[in-house]
Structures are given as structure tokens and as C-alpha cells.
């Protein structure tokens, strides 16, 4: 996996960044959510900075976990400046983007995977913007949504033997348990 490269290309996605932000008085682990259109940080970060700079002050640094990004550039050109990008593997939640604004502060955004459908992305954005803070970490929110989809899919069809064992143990309502007479 390539963790870092130098990239200063300027690319603009087809439209503005898809981002939802919590009110400034909100609490919790996340300050909002970002739903990029691709896993290309050099293309996606300029649009995100264009949205956030007027609200939060000039974003100067970004940190990501490279687990979900095929290439993490060290620098990304945003209009007339350079945005520095760093990566941290064990220290940073893979589904979170850390943003720093010089002299203004730090913000953490849930990164919604680009391939997420619109309805699921809307649920993620709502959860990340909960004024009291989402009850889970960024990865916790993604895992909960994945489990929700898995449970719905399992409920819509007969369970396999392995799923039956996983959810109900060796004795389930769809599998008879042998009994021995006289015990």
C-alpha cells in the first residue's frame, strides 16, 4: 500500500463537497460528516476546504488513516495555497478525518465511504450531527450501519446453518434438537 506521495495537482470535483456539520454548541466525538465522491484525496480535499474555510477558518492540515485511502498525498493544492496532509495508522479512526485550522481549532468529521447509498449516507450525516454527540465513534457508526444491513438481509431470507449457529447457538427454531427418551 502506498501511504504517501507528493501531489500538488489541482482538481475540482463536479460539484461542492457533501458535508453536514454539527452546530458550534454541539458536543461529542464528531463535528459532522463528509461524504466524498471518490477515494482520491487530491481531488476531494479542495472541495471540502472550499466549504469549510469560510465557516471554520482556513484549514491548514488534514490527517487521515490510510486504511481507506489508496494514496495519501503529502500536499494538496487548494486554490492559492497548499494543504498539508498527514496519516496515522493506529492513532486515528479509519472512518474519521481530522482537520486543523491554524489558531482556530480542530475538527473531526465522520468519513462516509464514497460507495454508500444516499439513504444510508443521510442516516450517517444525521447521526454525526446529533447535538449531544453521536453515541459511537466514527468506525462504531459504520459498523452499526453494516450490522443493521446484515440483520435486515438475514431477516428477509432463511438463515444458513452457519448464521443460525451464530445468532441462535446450536439449537434454533429451524433446526430440531435431538432428544433422548427417558432423560
Amino acid at each position: 500500500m502506498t501511504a504517501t506521495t507528493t501531489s500538488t495537482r489541482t482538481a475540482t470535483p463536479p460539484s461542492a463537497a457533501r458535508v453536514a456539520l454539527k452546530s458550534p454548541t454541539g458536543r461529542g466525538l464528531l463535528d459532522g460528516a463528509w461524504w466524498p465522491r471518490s477515494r482520491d484525496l487530491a481531488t476531494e480535499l479542495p472541495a471540502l476546504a472550499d466549504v469549510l474555510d469560510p465557516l471554520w477558518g482556513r484549514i491548514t492540515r488534514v490527517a487521515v488513516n490510510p486504511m481507506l485511502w489508496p494514496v495519501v498525498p503529502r500536499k494538496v493544492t487548494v486554490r492559492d495555497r497548499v494543504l498539508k496532509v498527514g496519516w496515522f495508522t493506529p492513532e486515528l479512526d479509519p472512518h474519521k478525518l481530522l482537520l486543523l485550522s491554524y489558531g482556530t481549532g480542530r475538527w473531526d468529521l465522520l468519513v462516509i465511504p464514497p460507495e454508500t447509498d444516499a439513504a444510508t449516507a443521510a442516516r450517517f450525516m444525521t447521526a454525526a450531527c446529533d447535538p449531544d454527540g453521536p453515541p459511537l465513534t466514527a468506525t462504531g457508526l459504520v459498523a452499526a450501519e453494516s450490522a443493521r444491513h446484515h440483520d435486515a438481509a438475514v431477516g428477509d431470507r432463511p438463515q444458513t446453518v452457519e448464521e443460525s449457529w451464530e445468532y441462535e447457538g446450536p439449537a434454533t427454531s429451524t433446526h430440531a434438537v435431538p432428544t433422548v427418551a427417558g432423560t
Side-chain angles (χ1 to χ4, degrees):
M1 168 192 225
T2 302
T4 60
T5 63
T6 301
S7 172
T8 55
R9 70 183 167 130
T10 305
T12 305
S15 57
R18 300 179 293 189
V19 64
L21 304 173
K22 186 184 297 184
S23 74
T25 59
R27 299 183 312 268
L29 300 172
L30 297 170
D31 299 300
W34 175 46
W35 184 24
R37 289 177 171 75
S38 72
R39 293 188 185 272
D40 182 356
L41 283 171
T43 299
E44 299 292 337
L45 286 176
L48 181 62
D50 284 345
V51 170
L52 297 179
D53 283 355
L55 301 171
W56 289 349
R58 183 178 283 212
I59 304 299
T60 56
R61 295 183 184 272
V62 174
V64 299
N65 183 315
M67 188 174 105
L68 300 178
W69 304 99
V71 175
V72 177
R74 290 185 180 155
K75 298 176 183 177
V76 174
T77 301
V78 177
R79 298 193 186 272
D80 60 341
R81 65 189 172 93
V82 174
L83 181 64
K84 294 181 180 181
V85 183
W87 59 273
F88 302 94
T89 305
E91 297 90 357
L92 189 60
D93 185 328
H95 294 280
K96 188 165 72 171
L97 183 76
L98 186 145
L99 302 148
L100 297 171
S101 177
Y102 182 73
T104 307
R106 167 190 165 161
W107 297 273
D108 297 318
L109 295 180
L110 166 68
V111 177
I112 301 167
E115 59 277 359
T116 304
D117 64 89
T120 302
R123 284 192 298 275
F124 279 137
M125 288 186 169
T126 300
C129 293
D130 183 332
D132 294 326
L136 302 170
T137 63
T139 292
L141 285 171
V142 172
E145 184 66 27
S146 177
R148 180 177 180 261
H149 279 306
H150 178 67
D151 290 346
V154 168
D156 294 342
R157 61 174 171 68
Q159 291 182 345
T160 66
V161 172
E162 291 81 14
E163 288 171 336
S164 177
W165 181 274
E166 179 69 27
Y167 292 108
E168 312 250 351
T172 67
S173 59
T174 58
H175 298 84
V177 177
T179 58
V180 178
T183 56

